[in-house]
Amino acid sequence: MRSLISILDFSVEELDALIATAKDIIAYPDKYREACKYKKLATLFFEPSTRTRLSFEAAMLELGGSVLGFSEASSSSASKGESMADTAKILSCYVDIMAIRHPREGAPYVASRNATVPVINAGDGGHNHPTQTLADLLTISREKGRLHDLTIGLCGDLKYGRTVHSLIEAMARYSGIRFVLISPKELRLPGYIRGNVLDAHGIPYEEVFSLEEAMPQLDVLYMTRIQRERFDSVEEYERLKNSYVLDVEKMALGKSDMCVLHPLPRVNEISVKVDDDPRAAYFRQALNGKYMRMALILKLLEEAKNPEKEPLDSEGLVYDRVCTNPKCISAVEQELPHICRLTEPELGIHRCIYCEQKV
């Protein structure tokens, strides 16, 4: 039985197949009207969401299924202290598949190890957001006609931006990809993404501060919001929140066939005047997210017909180290075992299996 916790859970061939299914749904929607008849999706959202939660619900309803769940932690038994493992076991009694958004990094992974139905990571803290990446891939494919030979600019919050992390992991597996990382130094891409993904696979990239200087070379510009909810310090957020604003003047510096993506919501990092530019693809991107979630639900429910859970890969696991990341699920669920994996043997580096932070 498969779940989707990280975009790396799916091969490039599987990602391409999902894109093909999504395009088929777009072309022939009537063919899928009852594909999930009598199936139930649980949307377990422990932090606020509009697009992702409603996109999942719309996806399941358009497949002929039904939806139940909650939209905030206070509406769940988590407010009474129930663990993520127990929540997953209970919900498995009621539904066929579940989508989980949680502020704690690694929470959907814990759920997937304890659920008896497929689990979809709908965003865990600043860690991963694989279904947003599915929306991004379909959007790039439809806007540019390809997923290879592209220069992709990632702008804004690259440190806490889980959408950025997942997109890099996905696009790094296609040929001819080059990244331009545009951020203040305080919000630069985490070392484990640079080291484990970009450097390890020889993906060319450069880190710059100026959006204006980067614009002329980009095929895709991926803007992100400076996320107030990820900062421990209000002062640091206030200092950095207006680091980048994409406006009409900056758009004039870009290629005529460039496309602009944004996972939304935006605050003030993209001027509303940019919305009328045909290169602004972020609202089309939101629609593409629904189609890709439809394709994903179909795939996971089909594979759930084989209920055998994939065994935990035990290679390099150690149990004598404690993760010190305060945002990790292991920091609040005390009975959860601390497990780390030796990911870089030549350097002796271990990373938490839940949040991937160095231990």
Side-chain angles (χ1 to χ4, degrees):
M1 183 182 65
R2 299 283 296 281
S3 289
L4 177 63
I5 305 304
S6 162
I7 200 67
L8 296 178
D9 292 338
F10 286 175
S11 67
V12 170
E13 292 73 22
E14 288 176 310
L15 293 176
D16 290 342
L18 281 174
I19 291 171
T21 299
K23 289 180 178 179
D24 197 60
I25 292 170
I26 294 168
Y28 307 104
D30 289 344
K31 191 166 79 173
Y32 297 89
R33 293 293 184 208
E34 295 188 351
C36 289
K37 190 175 182 179
Y38 304 125
K39 298 293 184 180
K40 297 185 290 295
L41 164 73
T43 52
L44 314 181
F45 279 65
F46 293 83
E47 66 176 6
S49 169
T50 300
R51 276 147 304 280
T52 303
R53 181 173 62 87
L54 296 183
S55 178
F56 267 112
E57 294 182 0
M60 192 59 166
L61 293 172
E62 290 189 24
L63 291 169
S66 55
V67 181
L68 64 158
F70 52 83
S71 59
E72 55 184 345
S74 61
S75 300
S76 76
S77 290
S79 62
K80 304 175 184 177
E82 183 174 65
S83 69
M84 177 51 62
D86 284 359
T87 296
K89 291 173 184 175
I90 291 296
L91 266 294
S92 295
C93 300
Y94 307 145
V95 300
D96 302 286
I97 187 169
M98 61 182 80
I100 300 176
R101 169 166 288 186
H102 202 285
R104 290 287 173 176
E105 297 169 8
Y109 173 77
V110 173
S112 73
R113 300 307 306 175
N114 290 274
T116 54
V117 300
V119 172
I120 301 171
N121 181 2
D124 61 332
H127 188 212
N128 279 316
H129 197 348
T131 66
Q132 177 62 52
T133 301
L134 295 181
D136 302 341
L137 294 178
L138 179 58
T139 304
I140 294 171
S141 177
R142 297 184 75 189
E143 297 288 326
K144 301 298 297 179
R146 66 188 189 277
L147 288 172
H148 56 83
D149 299 315
L150 294 166
T151 296
I152 302 174
L154 303 164
C155 180
D157 181 1
L158 309 189
K159 179 178 181 180
Y160 301 112
R162 56 193 174 196
T163 60
V164 167
H165 305 165
S166 292
L167 182 60
I168 288 175
E169 289 179 331
M171 292 302 301
R173 294 185 287 173
Y174 289 89
S175 63
I177 297 299
R178 174 175 170 267
F179 292 105
V180 181
L181 309 176
I182 310 157
S183 73
K185 62 181 181 180
E186 296 90 343
L187 296 176
R188 69 191 295 240
L189 193 71
Y192 76 90
I193 299 289
R194 280 183 280 115
N196 292 357
V197 181
L198 298 177
D199 294 335
H201 296 93
I203 307 300
Y205 69 94
E206 62 176 314
E207 295 182 285
V208 302
F209 176 75
S210 171
L211 175 58
E212 291 88 340
E213 291 180 13
M215 287 292 287
Q217 60 184 306
L218 303 181
D219 299 304
V220 178
L221 172 60
Y222 197 95
M223 294 294 295
T224 66
R225 172 174 61 95
I226 306 297
Q227 304 172 88
R228 179 173 53 191
E229 63 269 27
R230 304 295 174 218
F231 283 80
D232 294 325
S233 166
V234 174
E235 292 76 15
E236 185 180 17
Y237 166 75
E238 290 293 332
R239 182 170 58 84
L240 296 172
K241 67 178 182 179
N242 294 319
S243 296
Y244 301 99
V245 177
L246 181 65
D247 53 25
V248 173
E249 290 72 26
K250 293 186 182 70
M251 286 292 288
L253 302 173
K255 296 179 181 180
S256 61
D257 63 345
M258 176 189 70
C259 64
V260 179
L261 277 63
H262 191 304
L264 303 175
R266 68 173 165 189
V267 181
N268 60 350
E269 62 276 0
I270 299 180
S271 167
V272 295
K273 294 180 180 179
V274 173
D275 295 354
D276 295 329
D277 192 308
R279 295 171 293 177
Y282 30 87
F283 294 117
R284 298 192 291 274
Q285 178 185 0
L287 178 58
N288 286 331
K290 181 187 69 173
Y291 296 128
M292 283 300 273
R293 290 181 176 104
M294 291 172 75
L296 175 64
I297 289 169
L298 289 171
K299 175 181 175 62
L300 292 180
L301 285 177
E302 177 62 29
E303 296 195 12
K305 293 176 181 177
N306 174 16
E308 188 172 320
K309 186 177 292 293
E310 294 181 344
L312 178 64
D313 179 9
S314 61
E315 183 178 354
L317 294 186
V318 297
Y319 298 81
D320 60 349
R321 296 173 181 242
V322 176
C323 179
T324 57
N325 175 12
K327 295 180 171 62
C328 181
I329 187 67
S330 65
V332 293
E333 299 204 353
Q334 300 303 319
E335 294 189 15
L336 194 65
H338 286 266
I339 308 174
C340 300
R341 189 186 300 277
L342 181 61
T343 57
E344 298 164 65
E346 67 281 1
L347 298 176
I349 293 177
H350 294 75
R351 295 189 182 278
C352 173
I353 67 165
Y354 308 114
C355 68
E356 296 187 88
Q357 293 294 312
K358 188 187 301 184
V359 177

